[in-house]
Amino acid sequence: MSTRTLPLLFINLGGEMLYILDQRLRAQNIPADKAKKVMNDIITTMFNKKFLEELFKPQELYSKKALRTVFDRLAHASIMRLNQASMDKLYDLMTMAFKYQVLLCPRPKDILLVSFNHMDAIRDFVKDTPSILSQVDETNKQLIEIYTPLSGGEFQLIRQTLLIFFQDMHIRVSIFLKDKVQNSNGRFVLPTSGPVPYGTHTPGLIRMFSCSGEEVRRMQFRDGGNYNAALREGSFEMYGDRVIKLGTNMYSVSRPVETHMSGTSKNSSQHTKVNTTPNPLAKEELNLLARLMGGLEVQKPAGTDSGFRVNLFATDEEEEEALISRPDELSYEVLNIQATKDKQTNAELAKIMGEFGETGEPSPSSSSKGDDLLAMMDGL
């Protein structure tokens, strides 16, 4: 697997998470100062210098559960709290949106343009906070320095690594279903029309050449689509026109989104089966994850504000029902990796899990549920 994939995966998923939260904060008329604090706190943690130093080190992708652990911690970096079912739904939306973008990239290198679209949006979220903006800009400079020199083959490897990561995830999303870009089984429909990758010709012509390099014959064939040439290449600079729209905000107040499992019951054969065979690389992944999570310095909110709970469902009852009905193989609740012989790693993880406990989500039975932020996903 590519050693340069993890930062792009993290930044794009993080960008999608921010889009979703921003949309719901606006839709539910959350006070501007509280909404801004939520976004600023998450972005500050996401672009923490120590955290990014670990993220950009050459390494293979983490497992889905390990990556989910990182985003659990990130989502709770502010006064906002999510119960497990709401976090599951948020993570489903994030991952399916980015999977769709990777599939639609005209050429592998355009994954970097998708990442820059997310970075542009994140920069806009914190444009009035210079200290956070400088963190985001520094990361953008790193992306330009590390990724723009890569060859087309290296970007193809990155794309294949991402698709392998997403290949068993088939969560249905209402926006995709309504736009008919996703089938009822959760698989995406790829278009046979639109602009071709920059630097390529539209299909439909076969040219034959002699040994001396002279064109001797042309043949036309039906391409089965409606293609047109790309107008220009998107900008890979800090600021510029990315041309492609993949990675921009697809949500709006008028377009609420829902997710559905690809099946009708908990034991449906359509659900992805997770291989439970012990992973010989689990201990090494645990070490890497411990170092990465050690960089996530979450600041506990000061003062008397105890925070508010985010509910991605229309009612608490729907949220509880979703938690009960979610298939075990799609649950990310427990990261169970054994490393009993490594005392230092155990100490690091004990500290990390202690921090999870401090910033963890409130009990569903808690009487103080705060603002009901997200009336999302009607009609599960």
Side-chain angles (χ1 to χ4, degrees), residues 104-166:
L104 284 191
C105 276
R107 55 177 182 166
K109 189 175 182 179
D110 288 335
I111 291 173
L112 188 54
L113 293 176
V114 175
S115 305
F116 286 158
N117 272 335
H118 281 118
M119 290 297 295
D120 292 343
I122 294 169
R123 186 186 296 109
D124 191 58
F125 284 139
V126 295
K127 62 184 178 183
D128 298 325
T129 313
S131 59
I132 308 176
L133 182 60
S134 65
Q135 292 178 256
V136 177
D137 285 344
E138 185 60 35
T139 303
N140 208 327
K141 291 175 184 175
Q142 279 188 279
L143 290 174
I144 294 172
E145 180 181 346
I146 293 173
Y147 289 94
T148 53
L150 297 187
S151 66
E154 288 173 298
F155 274 108
Q156 174 65 6
L157 181 57
I158 289 174
R159 183 176 186 272
Q160 288 299 111
T161 304
L162 289 170
L163 291 177
I164 290 170
F165 181 84
F166 289 125

Side-chain angles (χ1 to χ4, degrees), residues 171-216:
I171 308 299
R172 293 177 293 161
V173 179
S174 62
I175 287 178
F176 296 142
L177 292 169
K178 290 173 183 176
D179 291 344
K180 301 188 184 303
V181 298
Q182 191 178 32
N183 291 325
S184 59
N185 61 4
R187 297 181 185 274
F188 288 109
V189 179
L190 299 183
T192 56
S193 61
V196 297
Y198 177 79
T200 63
H201 298 284
T202 56
L205 175 67
I206 300 174
R207 294 189 297 169
M208 300 181 183
F209 296 86
S210 65
C211 296
S212 60
E214 295 180 1
E215 183 177 331
V216 295

Side-chain angles (χ1 to χ4, degrees), residues 14-32 34-40 42-43 80 90 93-94 121-122 124-126 248-254 257 308 310 312 373-374 376:
E16 288 300 319
M17 180 176 71
L18 293 170
Y19 284 152
I20 297 166
L21 294 177
D22 177 65
Q23 182 251 332
R24 299 314 304 173
L25 287 164
R26 293 174 183 272
Q28 296 300 311
N29 297 316
I30 298 302
K34 183 176 286 190
K36 186 175 183 63
K37 176 173 174 54
V38 169
M39 302 297 284
N40 283 358
I42 291 177
I43 294 172
M80 179 184 64
L90 175 62
L93 286 170
M94 294 157 48
I122 294 169
D124 191 58
F125 284 139
V126 295
T248 57
N249 196 345
M250 69 176 182
Y251 305 98
S252 68
V253 175
S254 61
V257 287
F308 57 90
V310 171
L312 274 77
L373 174 60
L374 303 181
M376 200 175 181

Side-chain angles (χ1 to χ4, degrees), residues 329-346:
E329 58 268 23
L330 291 178
S331 175
Y332 304 98
E333 180 181 7
V334 178
L335 178 62
N336 184 19
I337 301 177
Q338 300 294 330
T340 55
K341 294 181 181 179
D342 191 333
K343 295 182 179 180
Q344 182 179 358
T345 299
N346 281 341

